[in-house]
Amino acid sequence: MPTRVLIIGAGWHGLAAAKTYLELFPSINLTIVDQDHAAGGVWSASRCYPGLLADSPPANFDFSDLPMDEELGIEKWADLPAEMVHEYLERYVDRFGLRRCLRLGTRVLGVEREGVGWRVEVENVDVGEGGERKREWLVCDKLIIAAGVNSIPKVPDEVDWKDFAGPVMHSRDVGRKHALLTEEGVKRVTVVGGNKSAVDVVYLCAKAGKEVGWVISPDGYGPCILFEARTKSGTSFASIKLARASLITGPSILNVKGWWYWFLHSGKSWVGSWLLRMVMKVLTKEMMAMYRRNENTMKIAPDLPDIFWSPAAPSIIHDTKFFDLIAEGTQIHVHRATITSLTSHTALLSNNEILPSDALVFATGWTTSHSTIFPPAILPELGFPIPLSEQDPKTEKHWNALDSTSMQSLKTLFPTLANPPKKVQEYDAIHAKKATTTPFRLFRGMVPPTLAARGDRSLVVLGLTLNISIPIMAEVSSLWGIAYLENLPLTSEVEGMLQNKEEMEREVSEVNNMGWLRFRNRAMPYVDGGEVTQWFIDRLVRDLGLSVHRKVLVAEREGCRGLFGWRAWWKEWTEAYVGADYRGLVGEYKRRWGLEGTTFSDL
């Protein structure tokens, strides 16, 4: 019987995994389940609405073998409407024959072990009037969870909104219900939350002429930093951020070798340390200039010494009028408070302000779905989060010891991070949120160490690392994950680690603690690789036995290396990394390991 593969989630990572699996094993028995009625995950049709733009331009939002600009007829660095992202992913499904594998409108209820594989309980989400939802069990040998971290809406349970007369929704539902926010009868909208989705909803309502009460909790680190999409010269911010040269200012445990690490981050060069501080001060000054600092914008802009110490991921602003609306404070009113109660048309805030309101949107984040679909008893061995209060004392002691050791090692490697400025420490003491659960503890952000060490290669989790190169990460991690699941070649170094639970757990602890040390947010259970995405991708590519210097390879293929290869290396460091740099990765992997012409038998 062919291997049965089940993929949960039809977003970037789920689609990339399916396409890669079929490229390696054309006769595989593969099914993708998703509760939405269209592919795309966060970019499905139900979650897009007019005016919503992606943070990234097309050049940063396409798979290696389907250039978005060519496919959709859009300029590489143009603003990218959400509807076009969805259309692109639908075309990807059809281009690579994934439609036959999709089972949409199917919600996962639970996952259990079934011998050496898994069985997954699902139900159809669409039933007619008076009908019953059909439930069934799907059995698989290999399970890929690609549901991401934006699956289950988190809504404050301390607020009772049954008496509120207007529409109430989570930001996930704005795509389906945006007409309720923009209709003529709605004059005032209250938006709760400070993340990217809150920014999008606030601007949607403001552009529709609504008066917006933007309620951001006074606790925690506050709202995300707002960046303009383009520099003053008109250059896309993404084209700068995606260049390998931009990585050198970001400390990472994934890159502790070479001259740049020694010069900027090791603390062994006072010139390098001074230069890094000066660069960050200049960038901070430029960023703060966007906010037209006044009483209104001070409620948005983080009160930290410089952006190096900002704990929040940035949100890209495409229309600079948004900053003007905040500064003016006549249409967008920012309130650093929480909602304590609701009446039919008002929201009472914790600072005793009363907001008249005709509609309410909770842009309050997400609850990870991974820990809710598995039996609680097996969560620790899967490396999934559990409440801190439910930890086994022996396991808790084990990880505390690992974390203590890795934190000390990291502080030695990165003395700047070990000694934040006094203002940062004071700010943290007031605003830092404590963790309520354990973090994800997955090797390479994908593999449960306990299962891997005992030879159980039946489960991989994709899409947990927050990153700015989603399609590239999806393709590379999919190839790595499938190689792991099917015992295809990986380098001897990583294969050795996959048999050594202690070594895997040591690295997991290092990576998690690096995130905490860099961004100081222990309340976030998943790995944040935002500003160092390329280092994560490089590590996986090395594990596959392939070259990480993709632009050099592209230049060699095109015959434009330049004198002594200098042109190729200039491109390697100064040009933005895009999907096309990884074109043909699967074929390259097969050639590297002598697998060309091999007929993979389904295991």
Side-chain angles (χ1 to χ4, degrees):
M1 177 184 294
T3 302
R4 295 163 297 183
V5 177
L6 183 66
I7 299 173
I8 300 176
W12 291 103
H13 288 80
L15 297 179
K19 188 259 185 182
T20 304
Y21 235 127
L22 291 170
E23 192 170 356
L24 289 169
F25 299 88
S27 62
I28 203 78
N29 181 346
L30 186 147
T31 304
I32 313 167
V33 298
D34 196 292
Q35 67 177 356
D36 211 315
H37 296 92
V42 297
W43 301 104
S44 67
S46 67
R47 294 175 71 169
C48 298
Y49 53 85
L52 177 63
L53 296 173
D55 265 0
S56 300
N60 183 217
F61 242 40
D62 56 11
F63 286 115
S64 64
D65 41 16
L66 190 65
M68 183 181 284
D69 60 324
E70 298 176 11
E71 185 69 22
L72 300 181
I74 186 172
E75 198 271 323
K76 282 180 177 291
W77 302 104
D79 291 343
L80 180 59
E83 294 98 328
M84 296 190 78
V85 181
H86 171 66
E87 180 184 351
Y88 171 80
L89 291 172
E90 289 284 4
R91 293 192 185 191
Y92 184 84
V93 167
D94 291 327
R95 181 68 57 85
F96 297 107
L98 305 182
R99 188 75 60 187
R100 61 186 173 85
C101 303
L102 283 175
R103 181 168 171 175
L104 301 172
T106 303
R107 179 184 294 116
V108 173
L109 301 177
V111 181
E112 299 177 359
R113 288 311 307 241
E114 174 82 1
V116 296
W118 302 87
R119 66 178 191 146
V120 180
E121 186 180 19
V122 300
E123 69 174 4
N124 63 312
V125 297
D126 288 326
V127 293
E129 185 176 349
E132 295 184 4
R133 286 179 172 155
K134 178 184 176 183
R135 293 188 176 187
E136 63 179 299
W137 289 93
L138 304 178
V139 179
C140 62
D141 304 296
K142 308 293 183 180
L143 177 63
I144 296 178
I145 302 179
V149 294
N150 297 331
S151 300
I152 300 180
K154 182 167 60 177
V155 178
D157 54 12
E158 65 271 15
V159 179
D160 184 359
W161 56 78
K162 67 178 183 295
D163 294 327
F164 189 75
V168 179
M169 66 190 77
H170 187 270
S171 56
R172 184 189 70 170
D173 302 316
V174 172
R176 294 184 295 109
K177 301 179 179 180
H178 69 276
L180 297 176
L181 300 176
T182 58
E183 66 180 5
E184 186 176 348
V186 173
K187 306 296 184 183
R188 297 157 301 193
V189 179
T190 299
V191 179
V192 183
N195 53 30
K196 178 191 177 331
S197 58
V199 172
D200 291 334
V201 176
V202 167
Y203 196 42
L204 165 73
C205 296
K207 285 196 299 183
K210 313 302 178 183
E211 187 174 344
V212 183
W214 190 1
V215 181
I216 304 171
S217 172
D219 300 324
Y221 285 113
C224 55
I225 293 178
L226 307 181
F227 272 102
E228 292 183 18
R230 300 183 182 279
T231 66
K232 293 179 181 178
S233 65
T235 302
S236 170
F237 174 75
S239 69
I240 299 172
K241 191 65 176 175
L242 295 171
R244 190 177 284 277
S246 70
L247 296 174
I248 62 177
T249 59
S252 173
I253 186 60
L254 305 177
N255 185 49
V256 291
K257 296 179 180 178
W259 188 83
W260 283 113
Y261 158 73
W262 174 87
F263 182 61
L264 293 175
H265 304 296
S266 69
K268 297 176 181 178
S269 169
W270 70 267
V271 176
S273 299
W274 173 85
L275 181 61
L276 183 61
R277 288 196 300 271
M278 292 302 103
V279 169
M280 291 304 165
K281 284 185 178 181
V282 170
L283 292 177
T284 301
K285 183 179 179 180
E286 290 293 316
M287 181 195 73
M288 289 306 175
M290 302 176 191
Y291 287 88
R292 286 174 48 189
R293 305 281 279 178
N294 63 22
E295 183 180 354
N296 298 318
T297 56
M298 281 294 288
K299 296 176 182 178
I300 299 294
D303 186 20
L304 290 174
D306 59 55
I307 60 173
F308 182 85
W309 295 103
S310 172
S315 183
I316 304 300
I317 301 300
H318 297 270
D319 187 346
T320 56
K321 292 180 181 178
F322 186 73
F323 293 106
D324 298 332
L325 289 174
I326 295 173
E328 292 165 4
T330 56
Q331 188 178 353
I332 298 176
H333 310 276
V334 182
H335 308 270
R336 293 306 298 267
T338 58
I339 293 181
T340 57
S341 63
L342 296 165
T343 65
S344 60
H345 285 92
T346 63
L348 177 63
L349 305 186
S350 57
N351 59 6
N352 294 322
E353 291 184 271
I354 298 177
L355 299 186
S357 185
D358 302 312
L360 178 63
V361 180
F362 286 107
T364 43
W366 310 87
T367 299
T368 175
S369 61
H370 304 73
S371 298
T372 63
I373 60 176
F374 287 86
I378 69 171
L379 292 178
E381 73 173 7
L382 297 182
F384 289 173
I386 62 171
L388 292 176
S389 58
E390 297 179 11
Q391 291 183 99
D392 171 70
K394 183 178 180 181
T395 302
E396 180 181 9
K397 182 178 179 181
H398 169 71
W399 280 102
N400 284 344
L402 274 177
D403 290 342
S404 177
T405 300
S406 62
M407 188 63 82
Q408 284 301 119
S409 174
L410 289 168
K411 288 181 177 180
T412 300
L413 287 168
F414 302 100
T416 300
L417 297 181
N419 299 286
K422 185 178 180 181
K423 285 186 178 180
V424 173
Q425 297 182 45
E426 292 172 349
Y427 196 82
D428 284 348
I430 298 172
H431 296 283
K433 288 185 177 181
K434 294 183 178 180
T436 58
T437 70
T438 60
F440 280 96
R441 288 165 172 161
L442 301 171
F443 178 63
R444 295 299 196 256
M446 292 184 277
V447 171
T450 299
L451 268 59
R454 67 179 184 225
D456 181 350
R457 297 193 174 195
S458 62
L459 174 69
V460 158
V461 184
L462 301 177
L464 288 184
T465 303
L466 296 185
N467 71 91
I468 59 174
S469 299
I470 295 173
I472 296 175
M473 178 70 87
E475 289 190 281
V476 174
S477 60
S478 291
L479 180 55
W480 192 103
I482 294 167
Y484 164 81
L485 289 172
E486 299 293 353
N487 286 293
L488 297 180
L490 294 167
T491 62
S492 58
E493 178 183 2
V494 73
E495 282 291 357
M497 295 182 73
L498 286 167
Q499 299 172 36
N500 188 323
K501 182 181 177 183
E502 290 74 20
E503 189 67 13
M504 284 187 283
E505 289 182 340
R506 178 194 61 76
E507 181 172 294
V508 167
S509 178
E510 280 188 347
V511 172
N512 282 345
N513 276 285
M514 185 69 208
W516 290 333
L517 193 61
R518 177 67 182 88
F519 299 103
R520 310 178 321 284
N521 189 356
R522 288 184 177 269
M524 184 175 64
Y526 38 84
V527 177
D528 190 336
E531 66 172 14
V532 292
T533 299
Q534 194 60 51
W535 300 139
F536 277 86
I537 294 171
D538 285 354
R539 173 165 283 190
L540 300 182
V541 171
R542 285 193 183 95
D543 289 346
L544 292 165
L546 306 178
S547 172
V548 302
H549 302 298
R550 310 305 304 176
K551 290 196 173 292
V552 172
L553 290 180
V554 172
E556 290 176 346
R557 291 170 188 160
E558 296 177 350
C560 57
R561 294 180 66 248
L563 186 65
F564 303 115
W566 283 108
R567 180 185 296 171
W569 282 102
W570 176 257
K571 290 175 176 287
E572 175 70 26
W573 281 94
T574 63
E575 290 189 359
Y577 254 74
V578 294
D581 296 321
Y582 292 83
R583 187 170 297 157
L585 192 71
V586 173
E588 185 181 332
Y589 170 76
K590 293 169 71 173
R591 290 191 296 274
R592 162 65 177 84
W593 296 101
L595 301 176
E596 286 184 292
T598 300
T599 302
F600 294 106
S601 59
D602 294 325
L603 305 177

